[in-house]
Amino acid sequence: MTDLPRAMLIDMDDTILSAYGRPEIAWNQIAAEFADEYGPFSPHQVASAVLTSARKFWGAAGPEWRLKLDEARRIVVRDGFAALAADGHALPADLAGRLANRFTTYREEAMYVFPGAHDAIDALKAHGVKLALVTNGAAETQRAKVERFELTHRFDHIQIEGEHGFGKPEERAYLHAMQALGVTAQETWMIGDNLEWEVEAPQRLGIYAIWIDVHGDGLPAESAIKPDRIIRSLTELMPADH
């Protein structure tokens, strides 16, 4: 498929914005800020415990937790601390809360628009492609990002899970966005970083699914999901004559 489609559904976090990728870097940075409060533990040990806790939590968490990220982070850090306490040294509960809160502010401070993303979206719109931003997450948090990073005027339809009451990978998330744009699945591409939400689920509906691999990690070795196309940046979707 070399011609542009009539419409594109585009994810926001870690597709347009650097938002939640590389959690191991974020947690190690944050853990280092509180290094003198861990007693016998090193910042790396604390970060590792929290990351293990996070993988366990999100591996079992229901979709409702996408709307309660702050609370989820507090649980993740608390459980990470509990695992460390099993080694005989309990860390204070208030430290867990401060670490979780710092993760939230750190993410907000570190967030930015990927180079060329605005230009790519503007070029696609200028070429008549209908554009929908389809993002999971809480209404207030996600709407604040849309405003902060000047995305409102760039899209014909903005669909935030917390505002609509449903999100990816529910079929109606894609169907509703396509209905809002007045297009069919065969006329639509979906672009995003989550293999389940932006590739597997859309493909079941007949949507051409593009996986964005911003860090160049490649598909996980065990992945049975096969994107129709893989890109590193939204700029790869820009029309050739632009």
Side-chain angles (χ1 to χ4, degrees):
M1 296 179 73
T2 53
D3 294 335
L4 291 173
R6 280 194 67 206
M8 291 188 193
L9 314 181
I10 305 178
D11 172 52
M12 180 167 66
D13 293 322
D14 298 305
T15 296
I16 297 170
L17 310 177
S18 177
Y20 301 117
R22 302 296 203 213
E24 65 282 359
I25 294 174
W27 278 116
N28 274 287
Q29 296 253 22
I30 292 156
E33 294 180 14
F34 297 82
D36 58 350
E37 298 188 53
Y38 301 138
F41 300 116
S42 70
H44 179 70
Q45 285 175 299
V46 172
S48 294
V50 172
L51 280 161
T52 299
S53 171
R55 281 190 286 269
K56 185 177 179 182
F57 178 88
W58 288 111
E64 69 276 6
W65 284 101
R66 296 198 295 261
L67 308 182
K68 301 186 290 184
L69 285 183
D70 289 354
E71 185 180 346
R73 284 169 188 150
R74 286 192 289 274
I75 293 170
V76 161
V77 179
R78 185 193 68 202
D79 290 353
F81 277 22
L84 290 170
D87 291 334
H89 182 83
L91 293 168
D94 79 291
L95 178 57
R98 286 187 287 126
L99 213 64
N101 291 339
R102 176 61 186 129
F103 187 86
T104 298
T105 59
Y106 176 93
R107 282 302 203 193
E108 290 172 0
E109 291 165 5
M111 209 170 284
Y112 63 91
V113 178
F114 284 124
H118 277 167
D119 291 342
I121 294 165
D122 293 346
L124 291 165
K125 190 170 187 180
H127 275 72
V129 179
K130 296 183 177 185
L131 301 175
L133 182 72
V134 183
T135 180
N136 284 353
E140 187 176 346
T141 303
Q142 298 304 82
R143 181 58 67 174
K145 291 183 208 168
V146 169
E147 298 293 335
R148 175 183 169 189
F149 295 107
E150 301 179 344
L151 299 175
T152 310
H153 69 281
R154 293 186 150 91
F155 288 88
D156 302 295
H157 173 66
I158 291 179
Q159 189 171 303
I160 297 171
E161 180 183 19
E163 292 180 352
H164 283 73
F166 53 84
K168 301 168 290 187
E170 293 179 70
E171 281 194 1
R172 60 177 168 164
Y174 316 97
L175 296 173
H176 183 82
M178 290 189 293
Q179 183 180 25
L181 297 180
V183 295
T184 66
Q186 288 69 36
E187 298 171 314
T188 304
W189 293 0
M190 174 86 224
I191 302 98
D193 69 301
N194 186 298
L195 286 167
E196 180 189 359
W197 301 350
E198 278 101 39
V199 177
E200 185 179 42
Q203 283 177 336
R204 283 200 295 267
L205 296 172
I207 296 169
Y208 185 82
I210 299 174
W211 183 55
I212 187 164
D213 177 22
V214 291
H215 301 294
D217 294 331
L219 285 170
E222 71 282 2
S223 176
I225 301 171
K226 301 301 178 193
D228 294 302
R229 182 178 172 187
I230 298 174
I231 59 175
R232 292 284 305 275
S233 164
L234 290 177
T235 57
E236 294 177 47
L237 302 178
M238 291 172 74
D241 62 343
H242 194 81

